[in-house]
Amino acid sequence: MPGKEGLTLFFPEKMAERVLTPVETRAGSAKRTIVFVIVLIVVAALAALPWYGNSVLVQFGISVLLLATLAQGWNIIGGYTGYASFGNSVFYGLGAYGVAIAMVQFKLPFWIGMIAGLVLAVVFAAALGAAVLRLRGHYFAIATLALAFIMTAIVSNVEIAGSNIGLVLPLLKSDVLFYELALGLLVLATMTVWWLANSRFGLGLISIRENEEGAAVMGVNTTLYKTLAFMLSAAFTGLAGGIYAYYITFIDPVGVFDVGLNVKMIIMAVFGGPGTVLGPVVGALILSTISEVLATKVTSIASMFFGIVIVIAVVFMPRGIADVLRRAGRSPLRYFVDNVRTHRL
């Protein structure tokens, strides 16, 4: 498979069709350096937030960071590979139950529970991927959607998982710890997506998204690539579920296998820019903030918020904020009009 030019953190470049001049090369390198420095400053500021922010802000931060990690996890299978999974909430629930069962039933420490949840999510994704990744489009989406309901029914009848009552975890009053864990996981997920965007493996995933038959003809092992992407997506989603379980101290099947959570992570990824490195993170931050403000100020509108976002994103900016910033330029109105015409709305 041919190589490709380096990608920026926010906008993945297309493969170069001509040799770049030294001036263009230096300009691109300078741009990447500036973005990298800005990201480092933002991460440092976020890491220090518990020491200059109040407890409410820290708790909100935990929620946003976990949602951003979920959006990044979905971005791997949905944004880069092109398979719109509605089953990531299953991995989230398995990660949560891995921690809960380890700590409640076996009295094991939190980190062992995290490993157990990670293994559960990844192994299930590998086994599931071998079957459902043979499906495409709406067939794949429906199959993964059904998994969440099936898993809810199964876990509700498993005694070690607390049946349909759920499990109560030990209480740990340390919001700072959970905040830093959530931030660390998001940074790791984002670094992984950045590696994908700049790697041969990531290029293989993109080729599957654009033309799976063509990718197979070019020598890409599409079944292996899709399964590995599904497992990688499950890993970060499961780890986020484990942190959430210990933070919230109570889980039940309906709560952790909630399809609505899966819809949220998809909306955030699509709104920010699927198939980009920072798009899902930005989408999660913006939508979570607006949703929180509406929930406290205008409750009636808050319940409709994500539905409105779906309509706006699909009609006016189907490739997210990242594409708007990259392509709108000096004619933003024309950009939105072209999207409406393209979709014949």
Side-chain angles (χ1 to χ4, degrees):
M1 185 175 293
K4 59 186 178 64
E5 298 297 329
L7 309 182
T8 66
L9 283 174
F10 203 85
F11 310 120
E13 303 283 342
K14 294 182 178 179
M15 288 186 295
E17 297 179 354
R18 60 183 179 84
V19 178
L20 297 177
T21 66
V23 174
E24 290 173 323
T25 302
R26 286 194 296 270
S29 178
K31 182 180 179 181
R32 287 191 292 271
T33 301
I34 292 172
V35 173
F36 181 70
V37 171
I38 292 174
V39 170
L40 283 181
I41 293 173
V42 171
V43 171
L46 289 174
L49 186 144
W51 285 271
Y52 64 80
N54 56 38
S55 59
V56 175
L57 189 59
V58 172
Q59 291 169 4
F60 174 68
I62 295 171
S63 175
V64 173
L65 292 172
L66 289 178
L67 284 171
T69 301
L70 294 178
Q72 279 289 40
W74 185 89
N75 190 33
I76 295 172
I77 187 66
Y80 279 90
T81 316
Y83 276 70
S85 170
F86 281 85
N88 277 34
S89 57
V90 172
F91 308 138
Y92 183 80
L94 289 173
Y97 268 102
V99 168
I101 292 173
M103 296 186 71
V104 176
Q105 306 292 19
F106 298 101
K107 312 301 179 185
L108 295 172
F110 169 64
W111 66 270
I112 293 182
M114 286 287 283
I115 295 174
L118 173 64
V119 171
L120 274 174
V122 171
V123 170
F124 187 79
L128 178 65
V132 300
L133 286 171
R134 298 177 185 274
L135 305 173
R136 299 183 190 178
H138 55 278
Y139 296 107
F140 174 79
I142 292 171
T144 53
L145 177 64
L147 287 171
F149 297 104
I150 294 171
M151 191 58 66
T152 300
I154 292 174
V155 175
S156 296
N157 290 281
V158 176
E159 187 175 349
I160 196 173
S163 300
N164 62 345
I165 299 174
L167 294 172
V168 178
L169 285 76
L171 178 63
L172 178 63
K173 294 182 178 180
S174 180
D175 287 346
V176 175
L177 172 63
F178 292 115
Y179 177 87
E180 299 298 348
L181 281 174
L183 177 61
L185 182 60
L186 176 59
V187 170
L188 180 60
T190 303
M191 289 175 62
T192 302
V193 173
W194 176 83
W195 168 78
L196 276 179
N198 290 277
S199 69
R200 193 179 185 87
F201 176 63
L203 186 57
L205 296 181
I206 293 172
S207 68
I208 291 172
R209 180 189 70 195
E210 298 300 326
N211 188 332
E212 189 166 340
E213 290 80 7
V217 170
M218 292 296 292
V220 177
N221 188 336
T222 57
T223 300
L224 177 62
Y225 273 49
K226 289 186 295 184
T227 303
L228 290 176
F230 209 33
M231 293 168 65
L232 195 56
S233 177
F236 290 113
T237 307
L239 288 172
I243 294 174
Y244 171 82
Y246 196 21
Y247 169 64
I248 207 70
T249 71
F250 171 77
I251 62 170
D252 66 337
V254 175
V256 294
F257 294 113
D258 182 18
V259 175
L261 179 64
N262 207 113
V263 173
K264 277 188 178 182
M265 64 179 85
I266 293 175
I267 293 172
M268 289 174 176
V270 171
F271 182 80
T276 63
V277 178
L278 294 181
V281 179
V282 174
L285 175 61
I286 293 175
L287 295 184
S288 295
T289 302
I290 297 175
S291 179
E292 185 68 20
V293 171
L294 290 177
T296 56
K297 302 294 184 180
V298 192
T299 309
S300 58
I301 297 179
S303 60
M304 300 185 296
F305 175 64
F306 282 101
I308 295 171
V309 169
I310 291 174
V311 175
I312 293 174
V314 170
V315 175
F316 295 104
M317 48 181 203
R319 295 186 180 181
I321 293 175
D323 190 61
V324 173
L325 296 177
R326 182 168 63 91
R327 296 178 57 194
R330 297 180 180 178
S331 303
L333 180 60
R334 182 174 181 179
Y335 170 82
F336 294 121
V337 170
D338 287 344
N339 277 329
V340 173
R341 287 176 177 173
T342 299
H343 294 85
R344 299 180 181 180
L345 295 172

